[in-house]
Amino acid sequence: FELEDHELSYKALGQVDGGPLNQFSMDEYDGVFRIAVTGYEYTNQETIITNTLYLLDATTDDEMTEISKLTGLGKPGERIYAVRFSQETAYVVTFVSVDPLYKLDLSDPENPVVLGEWYEEGVSDYLHVITDDLMIGVGRQAETSDGWTRFTGVKIALYDTSADTVVNLETYLVEGEYSYTSVIWNHKAFMYFTPEGEDFTYIAVPVSVYSNNYYRYSQLMYVFKVHHSGDLELVAELKHTDEVNNYYDTIEKAVMIENYIYTLSYSQIQVFNMDDNFNFVDSVVFNEMYYHLYNYTEEPVDSTVEGDVTTEPVE
């Protein structure tokens, strides 16, 4: 479609075999429409999975003709878990037991090329470019035993993308087989902010954590500094309540404005000062009924982390 004089007009149709994972599987750059898809072919004996990147001409009318395609991504049985396009470069993650992260060169639309493959345990469900040479992956750690793969926690990984093969610089793990982050299905839960004039980027990832043999549950907002020199630093673990096994009032996302971070849940907003070791500033409970319905026994409390030691304010 084309937007002309505030009106939407139909231009052309393109068709490929397979289906995209999400909106990050599709992209247009310099008149070329790129789409990464997974296809399934079912037989009586097996299911054949294929992963393909198609490049279509987005400048033509009536039909978006195929310029080229890149086939054979992923090992047998793997499907696409994450895609990220960045101008003439693309990153594709496939997974079944280990995580191949492919770096693709799309500078010549008629000849797309796999530059390199990086393998590690687990999988990245969401990729986010930080700088020209750094990328964050958010997903799940995994281990394989007796032919079975199970997820063992949440993985936040920092990658160096400067060379042909992407390299993992550092990984932070939140352990727990049933621990998860909503970022894997909702990219808007991922927050990032680069303060003006600084050589680092803040990122924040909400994580629901299971521990003590899956009996204890807590929910936190993990805040990191991604130093543009190539370091990943945990700077805070923020939570709204000390209530144990509270499955309802979880922090959904965060917003950073100047030197403050605002965390939002179903019942309230809390504010923390990033320039003061992320100490608690204030809160507003806007859904008090929700707050009381799910067995809160006291006002929400803040928590911050300095290094590896979690501290709580004395009332």
Side-chain angles (χ1 to χ4, degrees):
F1 294 86
E2 189 171 53
L3 186 64
E4 299 175 299
D5 298 327
H6 305 287
E7 292 186 0
L8 198 64
S9 60
Y10 169 78
K11 303 299 290 186
L13 172 69
Q15 181 172 316
V16 300
D17 292 329
L21 176 67
N22 53 32
Q23 65 267 46
F24 296 106
S25 301
M26 299 178 288
D27 174 83
E28 184 275 335
Y29 178 74
D30 200 20
V32 179
F33 179 73
R34 295 93 65 92
I35 178 169
V37 298
T38 297
Y40 298 87
E41 180 182 344
Y42 301 97
T43 70
N44 292 332
Q45 291 78 29
E46 61 179 341
T47 300
I48 301 173
I49 301 176
T50 58
N51 304 297
T52 308
L53 174 68
Y54 290 90
L55 290 83
L56 307 178
D57 188 344
T59 66
T60 55
D61 291 336
D62 298 327
E63 180 184 1
M64 295 172 60
T65 56
E66 180 182 308
I67 299 173
S68 62
K69 64 182 178 181
L70 184 60
T71 60
L73 296 174
K75 301 301 182 284
E78 294 180 344
R79 68 168 177 85
I80 291 175
Y81 271 72
V83 182
R84 196 78 192 202
F85 291 97
S86 180
Q87 297 183 354
E88 295 181 347
T89 303
Y91 304 93
V92 177
V93 174
T94 61
F95 177 77
V96 69
S97 59
V98 293
D99 173 356
L101 171 53
Y102 295 93
K103 182 176 180 179
L104 313 179
D105 180 4
L106 308 182
S107 58
D108 180 1
E110 296 183 357
N111 185 35
V113 177
V114 175
L115 294 175
E117 306 174 23
W118 171 260
Y119 290 86
E120 64 185 12
E121 293 182 339
V123 62
S124 291
D125 296 271
Y126 175 70
L127 300 173
H128 190 93
V129 175
I130 300 295
T131 69
D132 290 342
D133 296 332
L134 294 175
M135 182 171 64
I136 284 286
V138 179
R140 294 163 284 178
Q141 183 69 350
E143 63 181 30
T144 302
S145 178
D146 297 327
W148 292 92
T149 299
R150 67 184 183 94
F151 294 113
T152 59
V154 175
K155 177 178 75 169
I156 297 98
L158 178 63
Y159 298 101
D160 181 346
T161 62
S162 59
D164 286 350
T165 298
V166 174
V167 175
N168 185 315
L169 296 174
E170 194 170 353
T171 296
Y172 185 88
L173 299 178
V174 182
E175 296 183 352
E177 183 174 358
Y178 296 102
S179 300
Y180 67 91
T181 172
S182 58
V183 173
I184 66 176
W185 66 81
N186 176 20
H187 71 278
K188 293 184 179 180
F190 179 89
M191 192 283 309
Y192 64 98
F193 173 65
T194 303
E196 185 176 357
E198 298 289 354
D199 59 353
F200 63 83
T201 298
Y202 283 113
I203 66 168
V205 180
V207 180
S208 297
V209 184
Y210 288 83
S211 56
N212 290 8
N213 200 24
Y214 321 127
Y215 174 75
R216 180 183 176 90
Y217 171 86
S218 57
Q219 205 276 342
L220 305 97
M221 180 68 73
Y222 286 78
V223 184
F224 298 87
K225 273 185 180 179
V226 181
H227 296 275
H228 297 170
S229 59
D231 293 321
L232 180 67
E233 177 190 4
L234 176 68
V235 293
E237 300 175 9
L238 308 177
K239 59 181 178 179
H240 279 190
T241 176
D242 277 339
E243 189 78 17
V244 176
N245 297 334
N246 168 37
Y247 297 93
Y248 302 100
D249 192 31
T250 58
I251 302 174
E252 293 299 313
K253 69 178 305 181
V255 177
M256 290 184 179
I257 303 175
E258 295 180 346
N259 60 322
Y260 293 96
I261 181 170
Y262 301 76
T263 53
L264 174 66
S265 72
Y266 287 106
S267 74
Q268 64 194 285
I269 296 175
Q270 289 199 20
V271 189
F272 303 87
N273 189 337
M274 296 189 295
D275 287 346
D276 186 24
N277 293 319
F278 287 82
N279 280 319
F280 173 78
V281 176
D282 202 355
S283 66
V284 174
V285 177
F286 52 78
N287 192 348
E288 190 171 353
M289 181 175 294
Y290 189 96
Y291 168 81
H292 288 293
L293 276 177
Y294 294 107
N295 300 320
Y296 284 95
T297 58
E298 58 183 355
E299 289 297 312
V301 299
D302 65 286
S303 66
T304 59
V305 65
E306 299 178 5
D308 294 329
V309 180
T310 301
T311 61
E312 297 179 357
V314 178
E315 295 183 353

